[in-house]
Amino acid sequence: MIRSELLRIRYSLSAKLVLAVAAAEAIFVGLLFSFLPALIDGLTKLNTVIPNATSADQFSDEQLTALSLASPSAQQTVIDVLGNSGTGISLPTLAALLFGALTITTEYRRGSLVNAVLAEPRRIRLLLDKLTALTIVAAGVAVLLTLLRGLILVVGIAVQGETLLLSPAEIAGFGLRGAITLALYTGIGFAVGLLVRSPVAAILTLGAAVAVESVARPITTLMFGTPNPAQYLPLGLVPDISATNPLAAINGMTAPLMQGIGLMPALLTLLAWAVVALAIASTRFCRADIPALS
C-alpha cells in the first residue's frame, strides 16, 4: 500500500510543484548571497555617477562582512533547508503544508479515496500508509534540498574566494532538522485536508491561518513581551527550529521581536500540533462517510 501511495505521489502535479518551488527558493537565496557583495559594490559605484541613487553606501564594514559568505551566519542561511527569513513561516514549509493538504483533498475531489477505502477498509491503517508515504517524500525532498544548497554554497564560496566555515555535523544538522520539520508540516497540512476535504478550502484555510498568525505574533510580543502563548502557534516556529538569524546583519543585533522559544521547545511544540491535528482529523475520517466526489 505504501508503494502504491509513493507511486501516486510521484506522478501527482502537486508534488512536482512543491519540489519546484522549494528548489527555486534554494537557488534564488544561494545566488543572492553568492553575488550580493558584487551587487552592493555595483550599487555603491552607481552613487558616484548618480548622487544618492541608492542606500548601498550606508552599510558599515561589519554589515558588509556579515552579508558576504565570509560570515558563518550567511553560510548557514544558504544551507538552511527550511529557508528561514527571520520573519516566521518560510516558503519550503508553506509548500509542505500545501503538499500535505492537496495530496488528500485531490483524492476527495476525484473520488479515488473511495477506491482506496474499499481496497483497505481499515481506515487507520490506510491513513498510516498515506502518512508514511508523505513522510518519506518530505524527508527525500529535505535531502535533495540539502545537496542542492550545499552545491550552491560551494559555488558561492568559490565565487567570493572564501572558505567553508561550517562543519559536516552542522550541515547534517540543518538537513536533519529540515527533514523532521517538513515532515511535521506535511502532516499538519494532511490533517487540514482531511478536515476540509476541498483543495480550495484547504488553501483558504492555510492562507487565513498564516495571515492571522503573522499579525498575532508581533502584536502579542509588543504587548506582553516574551515568552507569550502566541509564540507557540505552529506556523511561525521556523526561525526557532532553523536556529539562524538572516536579519542580524541588517539589524546589527537580534531584535526583541525575533527572540523565540528555542530549538527543542519549538520542535516539540510543532510535534504536539501535528499529533493533535492528525488525531482530530483521523477521528473524523474514521467516523464520517466518504463522498464519491467532493
Side-chain angles (χ1 to χ4, degrees):
M1 189 69 181
I2 295 176
R3 184 178 179 181
S4 65
E5 289 294 328
L6 288 172
L7 287 174
R8 187 176 61 80
I9 293 173
R10 176 185 175 185
Y11 292 107
S12 69
L13 179 60
S14 60
K16 295 176 182 177
L17 288 176
V18 167
L19 181 59
V21 167
E25 186 269 346
I27 293 172
F28 172 77
V29 171
L31 293 178
L32 176 64
F33 274 87
S34 297
F35 295 98
L36 187 57
L39 177 62
I40 293 175
D41 287 341
L43 293 175
T44 302
K45 292 177 181 178
L46 179 63
N47 287 338
T48 61
V49 179
I50 305 175
N52 300 321
T54 70
S55 300
D57 55 353
Q58 297 181 7
F59 286 107
S60 65
D61 292 338
E62 292 78 9
Q63 288 177 323
L64 290 174
T65 301
L67 289 171
S68 72
L69 292 179
S71 166
S73 62
Q75 294 191 12
Q76 291 172 355
T77 299
V78 175
I79 201 67
D80 180 20
V81 176
L82 297 178
N84 173 34
S85 63
T87 57
I89 193 167
S90 66
L91 191 57
T93 54
L94 181 59
L97 284 167
L98 291 174
F99 171 56
L102 294 178
T103 296
I104 187 64
T105 54
T106 300
E107 290 194 69
Y108 274 111
R109 181 172 61 86
R110 295 178 176 174
S112 59
L113 190 58
V114 174
N115 297 328
V117 172
L118 291 175
E120 176 53 84
R122 296 170 296 180
R123 296 194 182 184
I124 290 295
R125 175 63 182 274
L126 177 63
L127 291 180
L128 288 176
D129 289 342
K130 290 182 178 296
L131 279 173
T132 301
L134 289 173
T135 301
I136 292 172
V137 172
V141 169
V143 172
L144 290 177
L145 288 178
T146 302
L147 295 175
L148 176 60
R149 285 178 172 272
L151 177 61
I152 293 173
L153 178 59
V154 170
V155 172
I157 288 174
V159 169
Q160 296 187 19
E162 304 294 343
T163 58
L164 181 64
L165 302 175
L166 303 179
S167 67
E170 289 178 298
I171 296 174
F174 279 107
L176 179 60
R177 291 200 299 270
I180 295 172
T181 305
L182 292 182
L184 291 176
Y185 274 116
T186 300
I188 293 175
F190 182 77
V192 171
L194 275 178
L195 289 171
V196 301
R197 297 187 173 188
S198 165
V200 175
I203 294 172
L204 292 176
T205 300
L206 292 173
V210 170
V212 170
E213 186 170 329
S214 64
V215 173
R217 276 178 170 267
I219 289 179
T220 54
T221 301
L222 287 172
M223 293 176 61
F224 306 109
T226 57
N228 65 75
Q231 289 185 295
Y232 293 89
L233 294 174
L235 303 183
L237 295 171
V238 172
D240 291 303
I241 296 174
S242 67
T244 61
N245 188 3
L247 300 181
I250 300 175
N251 294 342
M253 59 185 297
T254 301
L257 288 178
M258 297 176 61
Q259 294 177 358
I261 60 177
L263 170 59
M264 287 309 299
L267 273 176
L268 293 175
T269 299
L270 183 60
L271 175 62
W273 277 104
V275 169
V276 171
L278 288 169
I280 295 173
S282 300
T283 300
R284 187 204 177 188
F285 178 75
C286 292
R287 294 183 177 182
D289 292 333
I290 301 175
L293 293 172
S294 295

